[in-house]
Amino acid sequence: MEQFVPSISHIVCIDSMGLIGESNNLIWNIPEELAYFKNTTKDSIVIMGNNTFKSLKNKPLKNRINIVVSSSITSSDSNNLYFRNSVKDSLELAQYLGLKDQKNIFIIGGESIYEQTFSLINKVYISVIHHNYIHDPILKDKKVFYYYNYEKLDIDSLELESKSLIKSTNYFYPISTYIFKVNSNDGLE
């Protein structure tokens, strides 16, 4: 019998320029995309930064093991919620729990956590909203934007596993979802 090895994936929703949020919040609220995220990450391990955790009102996502990377939160670990000081410590805990409980690992943001884990992932789940929000009038006075640097993904090393369209009855712009397999995984250092 082959031993289960948890995959490490990014899951992210971006606009056409790679924008993932503004001032530690999502810019869009699309129920169908949020349902896709929920269904994809259910019964898995999610790793997030402190600001992403704050955007969730400091509450863990249900039906998932939540690991928060933060040097400022002093809360102790509790059922399905863990805090670690570094991405490396978070990934080591996630891999231990993933092996023990046979769960895959999803990196869910923010920008810094994505940046630190590009070389470690096996898959990328990207939902692309075909709109450029940076030119949206509601953002004209905003200053702090966060991006998913998809240019760091070596396009030649990606293999498209699937592509679909999220259909929203209340949303104007189409949303394409892609799942890429990343062939060049360096593993933890």
Side-chain angles (χ1 to χ4, degrees):
M1 186 167 105
E2 198 173 313
Q3 182 183 5
F4 175 82
V5 177
S7 67
I8 303 173
S9 304
H10 282 179
I11 186 165
V12 63
C13 182
I14 63 174
D15 78 351
S16 59
M17 299 298 291
L19 184 68
I20 58 175
E22 175 270 321
S23 298
N24 298 319
N25 290 301
L26 294 176
I27 295 167
W28 45 82
N29 183 1
I30 307 163
E32 293 83 358
E33 200 286 321
L34 293 172
Y36 171 78
F37 171 87
K38 181 180 179 180
N39 291 332
T40 304
T41 62
K42 185 179 177 183
D43 298 322
S44 67
I45 298 167
V46 293
I47 297 176
M48 68 191 89
N50 188 33
N51 288 331
T52 300
F53 185 62
K54 285 179 183 175
S55 76
L56 299 172
K57 298 178 177 44
N58 295 325
K59 294 186 179 182
L61 296 171
K62 292 180 182 176
N63 301 313
R64 282 154 277 214
I65 295 172
N66 295 254
I67 302 174
V68 180
V69 181
S70 175
S71 56
S72 63
I73 295 180
T74 56
S75 299
S76 58
D77 296 341
S78 61
N79 195 20
N80 292 331
L81 178 61
Y82 300 87
F83 297 91
R84 293 298 179 266
N85 289 324
S86 69
V87 170
K88 183 179 183 212
D89 290 347
S90 296
L91 283 166
E92 286 175 355
L93 174 61
Q95 287 184 320
Y96 167 75
L97 294 171
L99 284 169
K100 181 173 83 66
D101 299 333
Q102 297 195 348
K103 294 181 183 289
N104 288 315
I105 302 163
F106 286 91
I107 311 294
I108 66 168
E111 181 180 31
S112 173
I113 306 300
Y114 288 131
E115 286 287 321
Q116 294 177 64
T117 56
F118 271 107
S119 66
L120 306 174
I121 58 175
N122 309 104
K123 286 186 181 182
V124 182
Y125 295 73
I126 301 178
S127 295
V128 181
I129 301 170
H130 297 283
H131 178 66
N132 183 348
Y133 278 89
I134 201 75
H135 298 299
D136 200 303
I138 63 169
L139 300 179
K140 68 180 181 178
D141 297 325
K142 306 296 182 184
K143 305 260 189 269
V144 183
F145 295 107
Y146 299 94
Y147 291 90
Y148 182 77
N149 189 358
Y150 54 87
E151 293 172 356
K152 283 201 168 186
L153 295 169
D154 181 1
I155 300 303
D156 295 333
S157 75
L158 296 180
E159 175 186 325
L160 181 63
E161 277 193 8
S162 68
K163 177 184 176 183
S164 60
L165 188 68
I166 294 176
K167 294 180 181 170
S168 175
T169 54
N170 300 318
Y171 196 71
F172 180 73
Y173 307 107
I175 306 167
S176 299
T177 60
Y178 304 88
I179 302 173
F180 292 105
K181 182 177 179 185
V182 180
N183 294 323
S184 57
N185 185 348
D186 297 332
L188 279 176
E189 297 171 358

